[in-house]
Amino acid sequence: MSDPNAAPIAPSGPSGPTDLALAMVQGLRPKQWAKQVFVLAGIIFSLRFFELGLWIKTAGAVAAFCCFASCGYLVNDLRDREADRQHPKKRKRPIAS
């Protein structure tokens, strides 16, 4: 619970176009995209490694999963931005700050 007498933490948003672009990319959480490699399991277990069409479809599926995951993170960050501003680590996230 926060102290009612404590001064509110002032958001420190991006200060220029480069900072804004970096904040936008950080908000998408590209580090989390590594989890999408599990989509490759379909090709691996089918033993159809040399079919280009399957690789193209799988690459599209990986990209789609990355986009959906990023959208989920952004929606969550928007909904929780006030609480995140009070959290020692989460307050550094682009939307909270």
Side-chain angles (χ1 to χ4, degrees), residues 22-38 62 65-67 69-71 73 77 89 92-94:
L22 181 61
M24 291 172 70
V25 171
Q26 287 174 341
L28 297 175
R29 308 232 182 102
K31 289 180 182 180
Q32 301 296 329
W33 295 348
K35 297 173 188 174
Q36 310 317 328
V37 298
F38 291 109
V62 169
F65 274 84
C66 289
C67 289
S70 290
C71 287
Y73 287 123
D77 286 350
K89 290 185 181 180
K92 296 178 183 177
R93 290 180 179 170

PDB file of all heavy atoms in Angstrom, residues 22-38 62 65-67 69-71 73 77 89 92-94:
ATOM      1  N   LEU A  22      12.429   4.293 -29.349  1.00  0.00           N
ATOM      2  CA  LEU A  22      12.960   3.263 -28.458  1.00  0.00           C
ATOM      3  C   LEU A  22      11.904   2.821 -27.449  1.00  0.00           C
ATOM      4  O   LEU A  22      11.739   1.631 -27.193  1.00  0.00           O
ATOM      5  CB  LEU A  22      14.201   3.774 -27.738  1.00  0.00           C
ATOM      6  CG  LEU A  22      14.887   2.794 -26.797  1.00  0.00           C
ATOM      7  CD1 LEU A  22      15.371   1.566 -27.551  1.00  0.00           C
ATOM      8  CD2 LEU A  22      16.043   3.467 -26.086  1.00  0.00           C
ATOM      9  N   ALA A  23      11.168   3.771 -26.902  1.00  0.00           N
ATOM     10  CA  ALA A  23      10.106   3.443 -25.949  1.00  0.00           C
ATOM     11  C   ALA A  23       9.019   2.606 -26.609  1.00  0.00           C
ATOM     12  O   ALA A  23       8.484   1.676 -25.994  1.00  0.00           O
ATOM     13  CB  ALA A  23       9.516   4.724 -25.358  1.00  0.00           C
ATOM     14  N   MET A  24       8.699   2.917 -27.854  1.00  0.00           N
ATOM     15  CA  MET A  24       7.677   2.147 -28.562  1.00  0.00           C
ATOM     16  C   MET A  24       8.128   0.702 -28.756  1.00  0.00           C
ATOM     17  O   MET A  24       7.352  -0.232 -28.543  1.00  0.00           O
ATOM     18  CB  MET A  24       7.350   2.813 -29.901  1.00  0.00           C
ATOM     19  CG  MET A  24       6.621   4.127 -29.744  1.00  0.00           C
ATOM     20  SD  MET A  24       6.447   5.031 -31.292  1.00  0.00           S
ATOM     21  CE  MET A  24       5.267   4.025 -32.153  1.00  0.00           C
ATOM     22  N   VAL A  25       9.372   0.516 -29.144  1.00  0.00           N
ATOM     23  CA  VAL A  25       9.890  -0.840 -29.342  1.00  0.00           C
ATOM     24  C   VAL A  25       9.957  -1.578 -28.006  1.00  0.00           C
ATOM     25  O   VAL A  25       9.582  -2.746 -27.918  1.00  0.00           O
ATOM     26  CB  VAL A  25      11.276  -0.802 -30.026  1.00  0.00           C
ATOM     27  CG1 VAL A  25      11.927  -2.176 -30.032  1.00  0.00           C
ATOM     28  CG2 VAL A  25      11.136  -0.276 -31.452  1.00  0.00           C
ATOM     29  N   GLN A  26      10.414  -0.902 -26.952  1.00  0.00           N
ATOM     30  CA  GLN A  26      10.478  -1.536 -25.634  1.00  0.00           C
ATOM     31  C   GLN A  26       9.088  -1.945 -25.150  1.00  0.00           C
ATOM     32  O   GLN A  26       8.940  -2.987 -24.500  1.00  0.00           O
ATOM     33  CB  GLN A  26      11.124  -0.602 -24.613  1.00  0.00           C
ATOM     34  CG  GLN A  26      12.608  -0.441 -24.800  1.00  0.00           C
ATOM     35  CD  GLN A  26      13.196   0.602 -23.862  1.00  0.00           C
ATOM     36  OE1 GLN A  26      12.479   1.449 -23.327  1.00  0.00           O
ATOM     37  NE2 GLN A  26      14.496   0.543 -23.669  1.00  0.00           N
ATOM     38  N   GLY A  27       8.085  -1.145 -25.450  1.00  0.00           N
ATOM     39  CA  GLY A  27       6.714  -1.465 -25.052  1.00  0.00           C
ATOM     40  C   GLY A  27       6.200  -2.737 -25.706  1.00  0.00           C
ATOM     41  O   GLY A  27       5.351  -3.430 -25.148  1.00  0.00           O
ATOM     42  N   LEU A  28       6.736  -3.081 -26.876  1.00  0.00           N
ATOM     43  CA  LEU A  28       6.329  -4.303 -27.570  1.00  0.00           C
ATOM     44  C   LEU A  28       6.976  -5.549 -26.971  1.00  0.00           C
ATOM     45  O   LEU A  28       6.571  -6.659 -27.284  1.00  0.00           O
ATOM     46  CB  LEU A  28       6.689  -4.208 -29.057  1.00  0.00           C
ATOM     47  CG  LEU A  28       5.985  -3.112 -29.836  1.00  0.00           C
ATOM     48  CD1 LEU A  28       6.535  -3.047 -31.260  1.00  0.00           C
ATOM     49  CD2 LEU A  28       4.497  -3.319 -29.850  1.00  0.00           C
ATOM     50  N   ARG A  29       7.970  -5.354 -26.132  1.00  0.00           N
ATOM     51  CA  ARG A  29       8.697  -6.412 -25.427  1.00  0.00           C
ATOM     52  C   ARG A  29       9.274  -7.472 -26.368  1.00  0.00           C
ATOM     53  O   ARG A  29       8.944  -8.663 -26.291  1.00  0.00           O
ATOM     54  CB  ARG A  29       7.810  -7.078 -24.393  1.00  0.00           C
ATOM     55  CG  ARG A  29       7.162  -6.103 -23.459  1.00  0.00           C
ATOM     56  CD  ARG A  29       7.402  -6.467 -22.011  1.00  0.00           C
ATOM     57  NE  ARG A  29       6.719  -5.518 -21.163  1.00  0.00           N
ATOM     58  CZ  ARG A  29       5.569  -5.753 -20.554  1.00  0.00           C
ATOM     59  NH1 ARG A  29       4.979  -6.901 -20.681  1.00  0.00           N
ATOM     60  NH2 ARG A  29       5.018  -4.815 -19.807  1.00  0.00           N
ATOM     61  N   PRO A  30      10.174  -7.063 -27.270  1.00  0.00           N
ATOM     62  CA  PRO A  30      10.743  -8.036 -28.216  1.00  0.00           C
ATOM     63  C   PRO A  30      11.520  -9.171 -27.553  1.00  0.00           C
ATOM     64  O   PRO A  30      11.642 -10.250 -28.144  1.00  0.00           O
ATOM     65  CB  PRO A  30      11.645  -7.190 -29.113  1.00  0.00           C
ATOM     66  CG  PRO A  30      11.875  -5.917 -28.384  1.00  0.00           C
ATOM     67  CD  PRO A  30      10.692  -5.720 -27.477  1.00  0.00           C
ATOM     68  N   LYS A  31      12.004  -8.972 -26.333  1.00  0.00           N
ATOM     69  CA  LYS A  31      12.706 -10.066 -25.649  1.00  0.00           C
ATOM     70  C   LYS A  31      11.787 -11.256 -25.421  1.00  0.00           C
ATOM     71  O   LYS A  31      12.239 -12.397 -25.359  1.00  0.00           O
ATOM     72  CB  LYS A  31      13.262  -9.585 -24.301  1.00  0.00           C
ATOM     73  CG  LYS A  31      14.416  -8.633 -24.432  1.00  0.00           C
ATOM     74  CD  LYS A  31      14.911  -8.202 -23.067  1.00  0.00           C
ATOM     75  CE  LYS A  31      16.043  -7.201 -23.196  1.00  0.00           C
ATOM     76  NZ  LYS A  31      16.535  -6.759 -21.884  1.00  0.00           N
ATOM     77  N   GLN A  32      10.497 -10.998 -25.318  1.00  0.00           N
ATOM     78  CA  GLN A  32       9.531 -12.071 -25.072  1.00  0.00           C
ATOM     79  C   GLN A  32       9.208 -12.863 -26.344  1.00  0.00           C
ATOM     80  O   GLN A  32       8.613 -13.938 -26.264  1.00  0.00           O
ATOM     81  CB  GLN A  32       8.239 -11.490 -24.492  1.00  0.00           C
ATOM     82  CG  GLN A  32       8.435 -10.735 -23.198  1.00  0.00           C
ATOM     83  CD  GLN A  32       8.932 -11.624 -22.076  1.00  0.00           C
ATOM     84  OE1 GLN A  32       8.621 -12.805 -22.019  1.00  0.00           O
ATOM     85  NE2 GLN A  32       9.709 -11.056 -21.181  1.00  0.00           N
ATOM     86  N   TRP A  33       9.593 -12.334 -27.493  1.00  0.00           N
ATOM     87  CA  TRP A  33       9.280 -13.014 -28.747  1.00  0.00           C
ATOM     88  C   TRP A  33       9.999 -14.353 -28.884  1.00  0.00           C
ATOM     89  O   TRP A  33       9.579 -15.209 -29.671  1.00  0.00           O
ATOM     90  CB  TRP A  33       9.616 -12.132 -29.934  1.00  0.00           C
ATOM     91  CG  TRP A  33       8.789 -10.888 -30.040  1.00  0.00           C
ATOM     92  CD1 TRP A  33       7.660 -10.578 -29.341  1.00  0.00           C
ATOM     93  CD2 TRP A  33       9.028  -9.771 -30.894  1.00  0.00           C
ATOM     94  NE1 TRP A  33       7.187  -9.336 -29.703  1.00  0.00           N
ATOM     95  CE2 TRP A  33       8.014  -8.822 -30.662  1.00  0.00           C
ATOM     96  CE3 TRP A  33      10.003  -9.480 -31.832  1.00  0.00           C
ATOM     97  CZ2 TRP A  33       7.946  -7.619 -31.334  1.00  0.00           C
ATOM     98  CZ3 TRP A  33       9.937  -8.266 -32.507  1.00  0.00           C
ATOM     99  CH2 TRP A  33       8.906  -7.356 -32.257  1.00  0.00           C
ATOM    100  N   ALA A  34      11.072 -14.547 -28.154  1.00  0.00           N
ATOM    101  CA  ALA A  34      11.812 -15.807 -28.249  1.00  0.00           C
ATOM    102  C   ALA A  34      10.919 -17.004 -27.925  1.00  0.00           C
ATOM    103  O   ALA A  34      11.160 -18.114 -28.416  1.00  0.00           O
ATOM    104  CB  ALA A  34      13.018 -15.769 -27.313  1.00  0.00           C
ATOM    105  N   LYS A  35       9.894 -16.778 -27.141  1.00  0.00           N
ATOM    106  CA  LYS A  35       8.975 -17.865 -26.782  1.00  0.00           C
ATOM    107  C   LYS A  35       8.250 -18.426 -28.005  1.00  0.00           C
ATOM    108  O   LYS A  35       7.767 -19.557 -27.978  1.00  0.00           O
ATOM    109  CB  LYS A  35       7.932 -17.371 -25.782  1.00  0.00           C
ATOM    110  CG  LYS A  35       8.504 -16.920 -24.480  1.00  0.00           C
ATOM    111  CD  LYS A  35       7.402 -16.294 -23.637  1.00  0.00           C
ATOM    112  CE  LYS A  35       7.954 -15.645 -22.400  1.00  0.00           C
ATOM    113  NZ  LYS A  35       6.911 -14.932 -21.656  1.00  0.00           N
ATOM    114  N   GLN A  36       8.175 -17.643 -29.059  1.00  0.00           N
ATOM    115  CA  GLN A  36       7.406 -18.066 -30.229  1.00  0.00           C
ATOM    116  C   GLN A  36       8.114 -19.142 -31.044  1.00  0.00           C
ATOM    117  O   GLN A  36       7.546 -19.674 -31.992  1.00  0.00           O
ATOM    118  CB  GLN A  36       7.075 -16.866 -31.117  1.00  0.00           C
ATOM    119  CG  GLN A  36       6.469 -15.673 -30.412  1.00  0.00           C
ATOM    120  CD  GLN A  36       5.397 -15.983 -29.391  1.00  0.00           C
ATOM    121  OE1 GLN A  36       4.650 -16.935 -29.505  1.00  0.00           O
ATOM    122  NE2 GLN A  36       5.317 -15.153 -28.367  1.00  0.00           N
ATOM    123  N   VAL A  37       9.362 -19.487 -30.689  1.00  0.00           N
ATOM    124  CA  VAL A  37      10.057 -20.548 -31.422  1.00  0.00           C
ATOM    125  C   VAL A  37       9.347 -21.886 -31.266  1.00  0.00           C
ATOM    126  O   VAL A  37       9.560 -22.795 -32.068  1.00  0.00           O
ATOM    127  CB  VAL A  37      11.537 -20.676 -31.018  1.00  0.00           C
ATOM    128  CG1 VAL A  37      12.300 -19.410 -31.320  1.00  0.00           C
ATOM    129  CG2 VAL A  37      11.680 -21.081 -29.582  1.00  0.00           C
ATOM    130  N   PHE A  38       8.487 -21.999 -30.255  1.00  0.00           N
ATOM    131  CA  PHE A  38       7.758 -23.251 -30.081  1.00  0.00           C
ATOM    132  C   PHE A  38       6.811 -23.525 -31.251  1.00  0.00           C
ATOM    133  O   PHE A  38       6.391 -24.660 -31.458  1.00  0.00           O
ATOM    134  CB  PHE A  38       6.997 -23.251 -28.752  1.00  0.00           C
ATOM    135  CG  PHE A  38       7.910 -23.325 -27.568  1.00  0.00           C
ATOM    136  CD1 PHE A  38       8.082 -22.243 -26.743  1.00  0.00           C
ATOM    137  CD2 PHE A  38       8.616 -24.484 -27.311  1.00  0.00           C
ATOM    138  CE1 PHE A  38       8.941 -22.304 -25.656  1.00  0.00           C
ATOM    139  CE2 PHE A  38       9.481 -24.564 -26.232  1.00  0.00           C
ATOM    140  CZ  PHE A  38       9.647 -23.473 -25.407  1.00  0.00           C
ATOM    141  N   VAL A  62       4.817 -17.351 -36.682  1.00  0.00           N
ATOM    142  CA  VAL A  62       5.683 -16.788 -35.646  1.00  0.00           C
ATOM    143  C   VAL A  62       5.475 -15.273 -35.573  1.00  0.00           C
ATOM    144  O   VAL A  62       5.331 -14.707 -34.485  1.00  0.00           O
ATOM    145  CB  VAL A  62       7.163 -17.139 -35.903  1.00  0.00           C
ATOM    146  CG1 VAL A  62       8.087 -16.334 -34.998  1.00  0.00           C
ATOM    147  CG2 VAL A  62       7.408 -18.628 -35.706  1.00  0.00           C
ATOM    148  N   PHE A  65       2.095 -14.527 -33.952  1.00  0.00           N
ATOM    149  CA  PHE A  65       2.127 -14.745 -32.509  1.00  0.00           C
ATOM    150  C   PHE A  65       2.892 -13.627 -31.806  1.00  0.00           C
ATOM    151  O   PHE A  65       2.502 -13.193 -30.715  1.00  0.00           O
ATOM    152  CB  PHE A  65       2.747 -16.101 -32.176  1.00  0.00           C
ATOM    153  CG  PHE A  65       1.765 -17.233 -32.188  1.00  0.00           C
ATOM    154  CD1 PHE A  65       1.436 -17.865 -33.377  1.00  0.00           C
ATOM    155  CD2 PHE A  65       1.169 -17.671 -31.020  1.00  0.00           C
ATOM    156  CE1 PHE A  65       0.539 -18.912 -33.400  1.00  0.00           C
ATOM    157  CE2 PHE A  65       0.267 -18.714 -31.027  1.00  0.00           C
ATOM    158  CZ  PHE A  65      -0.062 -19.337 -32.225  1.00  0.00           C
ATOM    159  N   CYS A  66       3.984 -13.148 -32.411  1.00  0.00           N
ATOM    160  CA  CYS A  66       4.736 -12.033 -31.826  1.00  0.00           C
ATOM    161  C   CYS A  66       3.860 -10.783 -31.752  1.00  0.00           C
ATOM    162  O   CYS A  66       3.853 -10.081 -30.732  1.00  0.00           O
ATOM    163  CB  CYS A  66       5.993 -11.744 -32.648  1.00  0.00           C
ATOM    164  SG  CYS A  66       7.272 -13.003 -32.498  1.00  0.00           S
ATOM    165  N   CYS A  67       3.115 -10.519 -32.818  1.00  0.00           N
ATOM    166  CA  CYS A  67       2.226  -9.346 -32.831  1.00  0.00           C
ATOM    167  C   CYS A  67       1.131  -9.467 -31.777  1.00  0.00           C
ATOM    168  O   CYS A  67       0.854  -8.508 -31.049  1.00  0.00           O
ATOM    169  CB  CYS A  67       1.608  -9.165 -34.210  1.00  0.00           C
ATOM    170  SG  CYS A  67       2.763  -8.618 -35.461  1.00  0.00           S
ATOM    171  N   ALA A  69       1.180 -11.273 -29.026  1.00  0.00           N
ATOM    172  CA  ALA A  69       1.774 -11.176 -27.690  1.00  0.00           C
ATOM    173  C   ALA A  69       2.064  -9.720 -27.338  1.00  0.00           C
ATOM    174  O   ALA A  69       1.774  -9.269 -26.231  1.00  0.00           O
ATOM    175  CB  ALA A  69       3.053 -12.009 -27.621  1.00  0.00           C
ATOM    176  N   SER A  70       2.618  -8.978 -28.299  1.00  0.00           N
ATOM    177  CA  SER A  70       2.920  -7.568 -28.059  1.00  0.00           C
ATOM    178  C   SER A  70       1.652  -6.775 -27.786  1.00  0.00           C
ATOM    179  O   SER A  70       1.635  -5.907 -26.907  1.00  0.00           O
ATOM    180  CB  SER A  70       3.669  -6.972 -29.255  1.00  0.00           C
ATOM    181  OG  SER A  70       4.971  -7.504 -29.323  1.00  0.00           O
ATOM    182  N   CYS A  71       0.591  -7.063 -28.520  1.00  0.00           N
ATOM    183  CA  CYS A  71      -0.682  -6.380 -28.277  1.00  0.00           C
ATOM    184  C   CYS A  71      -1.185  -6.673 -26.867  1.00  0.00           C
ATOM    185  O   CYS A  71      -1.686  -5.782 -26.181  1.00  0.00           O
ATOM    186  CB  CYS A  71      -1.726  -6.805 -29.306  1.00  0.00           C
ATOM    187  SG  CYS A  71      -1.452  -6.122 -30.939  1.00  0.00           S
ATOM    188  N   TYR A  73       0.647  -7.383 -24.238  1.00  0.00           N
ATOM    189  CA  TYR A  73       1.470  -6.626 -23.295  1.00  0.00           C
ATOM    190  C   TYR A  73       1.062  -5.158 -23.272  1.00  0.00           C
ATOM    191  O   TYR A  73       0.988  -4.538 -22.207  1.00  0.00           O
ATOM    192  CB  TYR A  73       2.951  -6.733 -23.660  1.00  0.00           C
ATOM    193  CG  TYR A  73       3.559  -8.082 -23.356  1.00  0.00           C
ATOM    194  CD1 TYR A  73       4.173  -8.834 -24.350  1.00  0.00           C
ATOM    195  CD2 TYR A  73       3.522  -8.611 -22.070  1.00  0.00           C
ATOM    196  CE1 TYR A  73       4.735 -10.064 -24.077  1.00  0.00           C
ATOM    197  CE2 TYR A  73       4.073  -9.851 -21.787  1.00  0.00           C
ATOM    198  CZ  TYR A  73       4.685 -10.569 -22.796  1.00  0.00           C
ATOM    199  OH  TYR A  73       5.235 -11.789 -22.520  1.00  0.00           O
ATOM    200  N   ASP A  77      -0.359  -3.151 -20.124  1.00  0.00           N
ATOM    201  CA  ASP A  77       0.357  -1.973 -19.622  1.00  0.00           C
ATOM    202  C   ASP A  77      -0.550  -0.753 -19.553  1.00  0.00           C
ATOM    203  O   ASP A  77      -0.438   0.056 -18.628  1.00  0.00           O
ATOM    204  CB  ASP A  77       1.580  -1.672 -20.492  1.00  0.00           C
ATOM    205  CG  ASP A  77       2.720  -2.656 -20.266  1.00  0.00           C
ATOM    206  OD1 ASP A  77       2.640  -3.452 -19.301  1.00  0.00           O
ATOM    207  OD2 ASP A  77       3.686  -2.631 -21.047  1.00  0.00           O
ATOM    208  N   LYS A  89      10.075  -1.594 -10.232  1.00  0.00           N
ATOM    209  CA  LYS A  89      10.613  -1.988 -11.544  1.00  0.00           C
ATOM    210  C   LYS A  89       9.663  -1.620 -12.679  1.00  0.00           C
ATOM    211  O   LYS A  89      10.092  -1.156 -13.724  1.00  0.00           O
ATOM    212  CB  LYS A  89      10.901  -3.490 -11.582  1.00  0.00           C
ATOM    213  CG  LYS A  89      12.072  -3.893 -10.731  1.00  0.00           C
ATOM    214  CD  LYS A  89      12.383  -5.361 -10.899  1.00  0.00           C
ATOM    215  CE  LYS A  89      13.555  -5.747 -10.021  1.00  0.00           C
ATOM    216  NZ  LYS A  89      13.879  -7.163 -10.149  1.00  0.00           N
ATOM    217  N   LYS A  92       9.390   1.807 -14.712  1.00  0.00           N
ATOM    218  CA  LYS A  92      10.326   2.134 -15.781  1.00  0.00           C
ATOM    219  C   LYS A  92       9.810   1.721 -17.157  1.00  0.00           C
ATOM    220  O   LYS A  92      10.430   2.050 -18.167  1.00  0.00           O
ATOM    221  CB  LYS A  92      11.681   1.483 -15.510  1.00  0.00           C
ATOM    222  CG  LYS A  92      12.340   2.022 -14.251  1.00  0.00           C
ATOM    223  CD  LYS A  92      13.634   1.334 -13.972  1.00  0.00           C
ATOM    224  CE  LYS A  92      14.230   1.844 -12.664  1.00  0.00           C
ATOM    225  NZ  LYS A  92      15.465   1.135 -12.325  1.00  0.00           N
ATOM    226  N   ARG A  93       8.699   1.008 -17.202  1.00  0.00           N
ATOM    227  CA  ARG A  93       8.122   0.614 -18.485  1.00  0.00           C
ATOM    228  C   ARG A  93       7.648   1.874 -19.221  1.00  0.00           C
ATOM    229  O   ARG A  93       7.225   2.849 -18.614  1.00  0.00           O
ATOM    230  CB  ARG A  93       6.949  -0.331 -18.282  1.00  0.00           C
ATOM    231  CG  ARG A  93       7.389  -1.692 -17.781  1.00  0.00           C
ATOM    232  CD  ARG A  93       6.204  -2.603 -17.590  1.00  0.00           C
ATOM    233  NE  ARG A  93       6.637  -3.900 -17.131  1.00  0.00           N
ATOM    234  CZ  ARG A  93       5.814  -4.843 -16.704  1.00  0.00           C
ATOM    235  NH1 ARG A  93       4.509  -4.632 -16.696  1.00  0.00           N
ATOM    236  NH2 ARG A  93       6.284  -5.985 -16.300  1.00  0.00           N
ATOM    237  N   PRO A  94       7.702   1.857 -20.555  1.00  0.00           N
ATOM    238  CA  PRO A  94       7.377   3.072 -21.322  1.00  0.00           C
ATOM    239  C   PRO A  94       6.016   3.670 -21.026  1.00  0.00           C
ATOM    240  O   PRO A  94       5.893   4.883 -20.874  1.00  0.00           O
ATOM    241  CB  PRO A  94       7.467   2.588 -22.771  1.00  0.00           C
ATOM    242  CG  PRO A  94       8.415   1.453 -22.740  1.00  0.00           C
ATOM    243  CD  PRO A  94       8.182   0.777 -21.413  1.00  0.00           C
TER     244      PRO A  94
END
